[in-house]
Amino acid sequence: NKFKTGMTKTRDNFTSKVNDLVARYRTVDEEFFEELEEILISADVGVQTVMELIEELEMEVKRRNIKDTEQVKEVISEKLVEIYYGGDEESIEELNLNEDGLSVVLIVGVNGVGKTTTIGKLAYQLKQEGKKVVLAAGDTFRAGAIEQLEVWGERTGVDVIKHSEGSDPAAVIYDGIQAAKSRGADVLLCDTAGRLQNKVNLMKELSKVKNVISREIEGAPHETLLVLDATTGQNAMAQAKTFKEATDVSGIVLTKLDGTARGGIVLAIRNEMGLPVKFVGLGEQMTDLQRFNAHQFVYGLFG
Ligand code: GDP
């Protein structure tokens, strides 16, 4: 199970600490919750989310009259899942695609987070599902970005629409849409530039790209996925905030979850940003992208 092995570091960190805590405290008391709070914060669950969680746990433990710490462990899992879904339907991780016609997915995020890799993995996954995919090399800014996307295109057997470096990203994406339409593609995945230094430029570029897409296809882009690097912790949270202000982000791809012991960031992003985590990256290979499921995630941590 890729999900479980990819989460090894977080599992080792978080679960072993919780198990140790449960073993040391036979009965639940205030100190138990204080230590639990620290464990959750050290797993990057996020202070605000941890506070809510602890409060809910304390209430639930009281309500059910639970004394035994082993039983509290079960309640922790339940509450973690609840916090993630926040009362929403549990199907929010589905990729929102147009069933009859071309779907356009915009991929945004800062350089180095794994944007290109994610596009490649996504292309592979969608192709495995029987969909015809085209890529648009909309990151015309970063040196080498176009070539890197082409490598993924070759690897996955997917066409890449490109212009030269420094050209207008909106024009590339416009061409991408025309090519995808004429080739009868199901999904167009659009790369974008990831410079964050200038927020006004970022906003301008993304809104121009978005306008081109929505002018060509009603209701598009169908998804705007923000790619975040799980190993950057609270910095990823700050990026989420900036991008949310710059464009209509519809979901998160959290990469490099295999490289961190602090996978609790998933819960903070969902709870504090209100953004669903649609995919997680669990390695560098084509097959290392998984649809996110909070049940699997939480029970994988304890399982
Ligand atoms: P970009 O600048 O955002 O397009 O980032 P890249 O796609 O070039 O990725 C940057 C580095 O992160 C590369 O070395 C990737 O192989 C690596 N990477 C991307 N996703 C993952 C992941 O889920 N797990 C791990 N371990 N590495 C990843």
Side-chain angles (χ1 to χ4, degrees):
N1 179 324
K2 267 251 156 73
F3 206 82
K4 221 168 157 176
T5 49
M7 291 289 302
T8 303
K9 285 189 184 165
T10 297
R11 208 171 62 234
D12 287 352
N13 173 43
F14 180 71
T15 317
S16 66
K17 281 187 191 165
V18 172
N19 284 343
D20 172 64
L21 181 70
V22 165
R24 280 188 291 115
Y25 287 81
R26 284 294 163 76
T27 55
V28 202
D29 62 13
E30 202 149 310
E31 273 174 50
F32 173 84
F33 282 117
E34 269 169 30
E35 280 201 42
L36 181 62
E37 197 175 303
E38 275 170 37
I39 294 171
L40 288 163
I41 287 172
S42 78
D44 261 348
V45 174
V47 176
Q48 190 186 318
T49 307
V50 172
M51 294 306 175
E52 281 174 45
L53 187 66
I54 295 286
E55 197 176 312
E56 295 229 352
L57 272 175
E58 282 178 318
M59 282 199 311
E60 191 70 10
V61 162
K62 211 174 267 173
R63 198 178 65 77
R64 288 200 224 164
N65 198 19
I66 295 171
K67 298 269 189 298
D68 180 26
T69 52
E70 237 349 289
Q71 266 175 290
V72 177
K73 228 171 90 177
E74 281 166 40
V75 187
I76 296 171
S77 304
E78 278 172 33
K79 289 290 166 194
L80 284 173
V81 173
E82 254 180 57
I83 281 261
Y84 181 86
Y85 288 112
D88 285 353
E89 289 295 317
E90 297 198 4
S91 57
I92 46 177
E93 285 77 21
E94 282 306 310
L95 202 55
N96 183 23
L97 295 180
N98 180 6
E99 285 311 317
D100 38 41
L102 178 64
S103 299
V104 181
V105 179
L106 200 56
I107 319 278
V108 303
V110 175
N111 287 339
V113 292
K115 201 152 36 84
T116 316
T117 309
T118 297
I119 293 172
K121 289 169 172 177
L122 208 50
Y124 171 77
Q125 195 172 104
L126 291 167
K127 211 182 154 192
Q128 290 291 105
E129 290 169 13
K131 296 189 168 71
K132 187 171 164 64
V133 181
V134 171
L135 308 181
D139 184 355
T140 59
F141 186 73
R142 180 167 71 87
I146 299 169
E147 291 74 20
Q148 206 189 333
L149 199 68
E150 283 186 300
V151 170
W152 276 104
E154 272 167 35
R155 208 177 276 167
T156 54
V158 162
D159 293 345
V160 179
I161 307 305
K162 56 160 191 176
H163 289 185
S164 54
E165 205 177 299
S167 60
D168 180 7
V172 180
I173 286 169
Y174 176 85
D175 278 357
I177 294 172
Q178 307 317 320
K181 277 183 180 167
S182 71
R183 293 171 203 189
D186 300 299
V187 186
L188 175 71
L189 300 177
C190 306
D191 194 8
T192 59
R195 54 205 154 133
L196 199 58
Q197 292 77 6
N198 188 330
K199 204 159 106 184
V200 176
N201 278 350
L202 179 80
M203 277 190 198
K204 271 196 198 144
E205 185 163 318
L206 288 179
S207 77
K208 191 173 172 199
V209 162
K210 223 186 117 189
N211 288 341
V212 165
I213 296 171
S214 58
R215 209 167 49 222
E216 292 305 304
I217 301 170
E218 212 192 311
H222 301 85
E223 286 276 7
T224 300
L225 298 177
L226 170 62
V227 182
L228 297 174
D229 177 342
T231 64
T232 63
Q234 293 309 307
N235 199 4
M237 294 286 287
Q239 287 171 19
K241 212 165 152 242
T242 304
F243 275 92
K244 241 183 109 173
E245 283 161 15
T247 191
D248 298 318
V249 177
S250 59
I252 301 290
V253 179
L254 194 62
T255 61
K256 311 183 196 179
L257 209 52
D258 55 308
T260 179
R262 304 166 69 131
I265 188 82
V266 172
L267 298 165
I269 287 169
R270 174 73 182 119
N271 193 44
E272 288 166 38
M273 294 289 149
L275 292 169
V277 176
K278 300 220 169 183
F279 293 91
V280 291
L282 298 165
E284 298 186 276
Q285 303 307 311
M286 200 142 77
T287 51
D288 292 336
L289 187 77
Q290 294 272 306
R291 273 170 208 254
F292 182 73
N293 175 312
H295 265 283
Q296 267 186 0
F297 176 77
V298 169
Y299 290 96
L301 283 180
F302 286 104

